[in-house]
């Protein structure tokens, strides 16, 4: 039987086969294909390992494109923030924000600098087909209730009180039943990371090189007085935490760092004040609960204006399932980031009101961007680009305490879709090889992608997936309130078709996750 750790294990329900649905990128009616599973709960380490194998979550639904079959292959992309230098166009966005905050200036004539905004159908490709499948195939709420009733019935037969000391395995199962009962499986919304507005960098030109050292030093001293603790809650855009990258000896030709550009000093009589707050969304913190309605209203307005949704479509339940519900367990290890690991909303407060929200996951090795929505009245600030730069800076900040947390995941890169290629302009960045799951610098991938939508980036023909499933019998199964290896479970089953589904699942999640996560079987 599986050993029990301080954290409850991930519990997933895999949906056999592959989804085939309309592609939101090329509009092929049945060309988009993916595998999926419902996560009742998930540890941050398991999710980290899954996204490093090409998986992605939307709410509690976790999916993986079938890369060699789908019409628009979606490659996992990550930026390396520690080496990141803002491009000319990135600097333009940051300076535009500073001018607005300092003097209230609104830049005009920059609309041509923004790429096309995606429609909701582009962002949520195939959702309705998936929702229908989930409704028909697996009513997980009913399943959870059935499991609870079965557990209680067995307790009564044995004449035991749940409060009495129980075998270790039984206690594990009871905890798992509670996790199953906490899910909201009806109509989960699967969303590809939304393309964020903002023209990409001109990579052929060197970055601007300027230095204002006296101002930087004065700013640094002032900020150390204003924000000595560098706390995340109420983190001010113009108050740089002292934990950020220290200043180096100045040279006139040394480019400004990202922090220099974000935390440029503002005059005492600045027109506006911007503050960024990181609040835990799952389980919801008190700050998240207190700001839920205001945050939802921004989302509703964003959907109605940007994506032309009717007023009754962006409901509270849709917002909650899509952007608030998460299977990730909150973890606060001593050497982790001060805010802990898990799912968060990064709220952008302008003059005391929310104007944008970045939905992010903080994982052992990365900050993973999930989605961004904003008040359309502030589209002129290029909030998509600005929030991405802030999230890169946030990753650099977290790295100061948690050294292994050093990447920024931007979701999927789709080379065949022009408006999704902008992600490749946050450099240096890497793409995930869809066959061997190793990271390859994007520069080495682009020529291959010009010739073929689907590519194996690993140039070593002998290389294989080192994390592949090698011993499927060690895969962990949760069945009838018991945790057991698949090798034990399959001896009890008579349905030969079940083995194919389990082996498919094992191959997709890899050996390590298959041994840690519990695969729920009826």
């Amino acid at each position: 039987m599986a050993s029990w750790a301080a954290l409850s294990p991930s519990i997933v329900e895999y949906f056999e086969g592959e989804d085939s649905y309309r592609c939101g990128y090329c509009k092929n009616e049945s060309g988009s294909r993916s595998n999926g599973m419902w996560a009742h709960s998930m540890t941050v380490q398991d999710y980290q390992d899954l996204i490093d194998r090409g998986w992605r979550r939307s709410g509690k639904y976790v999916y993986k494109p079938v890369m060699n079959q789908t019409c628009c292959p979606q490659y996992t992309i990550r930026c390396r923030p520690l080496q990141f230098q803002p491009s000319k166009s990135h600097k333009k966005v940051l300076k535009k924000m500073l001018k607005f905050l300092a003097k209230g200036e609104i830049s005009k004539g920059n609309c041509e600098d923004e790429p096309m905004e995606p429609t909701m159908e582009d962002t949520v490709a195939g959702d309705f087909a998936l929702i229908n499948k989930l409704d028909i195939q697996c009513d997980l709420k009913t399943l959870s209730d059935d499991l609870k009733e079965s557990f209680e019935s067995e307790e009564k037969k044995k004449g035991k009180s749940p409060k009495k000391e129980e075998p270790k395995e039984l206690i594990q199962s009871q905890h798992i039943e509670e996790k199953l009962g906490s899910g909201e499986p009806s109509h989960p919304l699967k969303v590809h990371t939304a393309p964020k507005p903002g023209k990409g960098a001109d990579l052929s030109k060197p970055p601007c090189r300027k230095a204002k050292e006296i101002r930087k030093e004065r700013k640094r001293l002032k900020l150390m007085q204003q924000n000595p603790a560098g706390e995340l809650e109420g983190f001010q855009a113009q108050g740089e935490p002292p934990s950020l990258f220290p200043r180096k000896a100045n040279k006139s030709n040394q480019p400004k760092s990202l922090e220099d550009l974000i935390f440029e000093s503002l005059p005492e009589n600045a027109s506006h004040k911007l503050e960024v707050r990181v609040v835990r969304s799952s389980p919801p913190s008190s700050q998240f609960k207190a700001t839920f309605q205001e945050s939802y209203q921004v989302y509703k307005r964003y959907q109605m204006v940007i994506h032309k949704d009717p007023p009754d479509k962006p409901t509270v339940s849709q917002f909650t399932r899509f952007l608030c519900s998460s299977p990730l367990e909150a973890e606060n290890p001593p050497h982790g980031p001060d805010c802990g690991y898990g799912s968060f909303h990064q709220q952008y407060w302008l003059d005391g009101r929310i104007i944008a929200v970045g939905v992010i996951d903080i994982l052992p090795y990365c900050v993973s961007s999930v989605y961004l929505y904003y008040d359309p009245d502030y589209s002129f600030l290029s909030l998509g680009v600005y929030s991405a730069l802030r999230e890169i800076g946030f990753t650099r900040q977290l790295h100061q305490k948690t050294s292994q947390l050093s990447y920024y995941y931007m979701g999927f890169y789709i080379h065949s879709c022009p408006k999704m290629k902008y992600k490749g302009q946050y450099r240096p960045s890497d793409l995930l090889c869809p066959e061997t799951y190793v990271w390859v610098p994007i520069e080495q991938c682009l020529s291959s992608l010009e010739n073929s939508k689907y590519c194996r980036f690993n140039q070593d023909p002998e290389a294989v997936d080192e994390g592949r499933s090698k011993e499927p019998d060690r895969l962990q199964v949760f069945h009838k309130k018991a945790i057991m290896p698949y090798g034990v479970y399959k001896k009890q089953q008579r349905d030969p078709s079940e083995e194919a589904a389990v082996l498919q699942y094992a191959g997709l999640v890899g050996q390590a996750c298959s041994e840690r996560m519990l695969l729920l079987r009826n």
Side-chain angles (χ1 to χ4, degrees):
M1 298 298 174
S3 61
W4 186 254
L7 290 167
S8 60
S10 302
I11 307 168
V12 299
E13 180 140 4
Y14 179 67
F15 302 134
E16 183 179 357
E18 298 163 355
D19 294 310
S20 179
Y21 48 85
R22 183 177 185 272
C23 177
Y25 303 107
C26 71
K27 312 304 180 186
N28 186 315
E29 288 301 322
S30 59
S32 189
R33 300 177 69 85
S34 69
N35 299 105
M37 57 188 175
W38 181 266
H40 292 271
S41 68
M42 184 167 286
T43 67
V44 291
Q45 184 61 61
D46 284 340
Y47 186 53
Q48 176 73 68
D49 289 351
L50 286 175
I51 63 173
D52 284 337
R53 293 183 65 83
W55 291 82
R56 194 82 182 154
R57 82 169 182 89
S58 173
K60 293 188 175 183
Y61 183 76
V62 188
Y63 62 99
K64 183 181 189 300
V66 184
M67 296 292 284
N68 60 350
Q69 297 179 32
T70 193
C71 54
C72 296
Q74 302 161 58
Y75 298 92
T76 302
I77 183 171
R78 72 178 187 186
C79 172
R80 285 176 260 151
L82 305 188
Q83 294 82 39
F84 175 80
Q85 281 291 335
S87 68
K88 184 177 179 180
S89 64
H90 293 154
K91 291 177 181 178
K92 185 177 179 181
V93 169
L94 294 173
K95 289 177 181 177
K96 179 166 58 175
M97 175 65 80
L98 289 169
K99 285 182 180 179
F100 173 72
L101 295 176
K103 303 178 182 178
E105 290 184 9
I106 298 176
S107 300
K108 296 182 179 180
N110 289 334
C111 294
E112 67 273 12
D113 291 342
E114 306 292 337
M116 234 163 72
E117 265 285 349
T119 64
M120 193 57 169
E121 286 70 29
D122 294 332
T123 311
V124 197
D127 267 355
F128 296 108
L130 284 167
I131 290 169
N132 291 336
K133 175 176 178 177
L134 291 176
D135 281 343
I136 295 169
Q137 181 170 332
C138 188
D139 186 342
L140 296 176
K141 183 74 173 177
T142 302
L143 172 62
S144 300
D145 293 340
D146 289 346
L147 284 169
K148 279 188 171 181
E149 289 175 13
S150 174
F151 182 77
E152 291 169 359
S153 174
E154 188 156 318
E155 285 298 319
K156 289 178 181 178
K157 288 179 183 178
K158 292 179 180 179
K160 293 182 179 180
S161 168
K163 295 182 180 179
K164 293 181 180 179
E165 187 174 350
E166 300 170 341
K168 192 176 183 182
E169 176 190 321
L170 205 57
I171 295 172
Q172 296 171 13
S173 300
Q174 186 174 12
H175 193 166
I176 292 166
E177 302 290 348
E178 293 169 358
K179 288 295 178 186
L180 290 171
S182 67
E184 289 184 18
S186 58
H187 309 300
L189 210 58
K190 179 175 78 64
V191 182
H192 302 284
T193 304
K196 300 177 181 179
K199 186 177 178 180
D202 184 350
L203 299 171
S204 64
K205 297 181 180 180
C208 297
R209 295 175 174 266
K210 297 179 181 179
K212 299 179 182 179
E213 305 308 334
I214 296 176
R215 177 191 249 178
K216 289 199 301 185
E217 182 62 24
R218 185 168 60 237
K219 173 191 64 178
R220 190 165 75 92
L221 293 173
K222 181 180 178 181
L223 296 176
M224 288 179 69
Q225 294 173 351
Q226 290 178 345
N227 192 16
E231 294 180 358
L232 294 173
E233 297 287 351
F235 181 67
Q236 291 190 6
Q238 303 311 319
E240 179 180 358
S243 61
L244 289 174
F245 290 70
R247 300 292 187 268
K248 297 179 180 179
N250 295 319
K251 296 181 181 179
S252 59
N253 64 346
Q254 184 174 340
K256 283 188 176 183
S257 71
L258 179 61
E259 288 75 27
D260 292 334
L261 293 163
I262 291 175
F263 300 108
E264 186 80 36
S265 293
L266 291 174
E268 294 293 333
N269 61 343
S271 298
H272 300 285
K273 178 184 178 183
L274 179 67
E275 185 180 14
V276 177
R277 303 177 187 174
V278 179
V279 299
R280 184 178 288 279
S281 55
S282 179
S285 66
S286 57
Q287 297 95 331
F288 179 83
K289 292 177 182 178
T291 57
F292 179 87
Q293 277 299 326
E294 184 174 355
S295 183
Y296 162 66
Q297 291 301 327
V298 175
Y299 168 75
K300 182 175 182 179
R301 183 164 162 72
Y302 174 79
Q303 293 300 129
M304 291 169 58
V305 176
I306 302 298
H307 295 304
K308 313 303 180 186
D309 278 1
D312 59 341
K313 186 176 179 182
T315 62
V316 171
S317 60
Q318 183 210 49
F319 171 66
T320 301
R321 288 193 307 267
F322 175 17
L323 297 175
C324 305
S325 294
S326 169
L328 299 185
E329 298 283 329
E331 300 181 27
N332 291 277
H335 300 295
D338 292 337
C339 58
Y341 296 114
S343 297
F344 298 83
H345 280 195
Q346 197 165 39
Q347 301 173 337
Y348 293 76
W349 290 75
L350 181 69
D351 301 331
R353 58 186 289 262
I354 297 174
I355 64 164
V357 176
V359 182
I360 60 174
D361 292 329
I362 301 178
L363 304 175
Y365 308 130
C366 74
V367 170
S368 175
S369 175
V370 178
Y371 200 70
L372 173 84
Y373 59 94
Y374 56 85
D375 186 333
D377 287 347
Y378 296 91
S379 295
F380 64 89
L381 290 174
S382 301
L383 290 169
V385 175
Y386 184 77
S387 67
L389 296 171
R390 287 300 301 253
E391 287 169 6
I392 290 172
F394 182 53
T395 307
R396 288 162 63 120
Q397 180 188 340
L398 296 181
H399 172 78
Q400 295 302 295
K401 181 182 178 184
T402 309
S403 59
Q404 72 271 18
L405 202 165
S406 54
Y407 295 101
Y408 174 58
Y409 284 46
M410 296 177 282
F412 289 133
Y413 173 82
I414 307 174
H415 191 76
S416 56
C417 179
K419 62 189 171 188
M420 293 295 283
K421 292 168 70 172
Y422 76 96
K423 295 181 182 182
Q425 294 157 350
Y426 292 84
R427 299 196 182 185
S429 58
D430 309 299
L431 297 183
L432 187 67
C433 175
E435 295 182 9
T436 61
Y437 302 111
V438 297
W439 294 98
V440 179
I442 192 170
E443 294 85 353
Q444 298 177 24
C445 306
L446 295 179
S447 59
S448 298
L449 287 170
E450 287 295 330
N451 297 323
S452 174
K453 288 183 178 182
Y454 174 74
C455 298
R456 170 192 166 109
F457 299 136
N458 193 328
Q459 296 301 306
D460 180 0
E462 304 297 321
V464 296
D465 170 17
E466 296 295 339
R468 66 190 182 281
S469 175
K470 302 171 186 175
E471 300 179 75
D473 281 357
R474 295 178 61 179
L475 177 151
Q476 295 298 300
V477 173
F478 181 54
H479 178 63
K480 292 184 177 179
K481 302 171 297 300
I483 303 169
M484 66 189 76
Y486 178 64
V488 174
Y489 169 79
K490 70 179 180 181
K491 294 177 182 177
Q492 306 173 10
Q493 305 308 305
R494 299 176 186 237
D495 183 0
S497 65
E498 187 172 27
E499 182 168 15
V502 173
L503 293 179
Q504 184 185 50
Y505 159 83
L508 292 169
V509 304
Q511 186 68 34
C513 282
S514 73
E515 290 189 40
R516 291 195 307 256
M517 302 195 305
L518 302 183
L519 177 63
L520 184 63
R521 305 303 292 175
N522 291 333

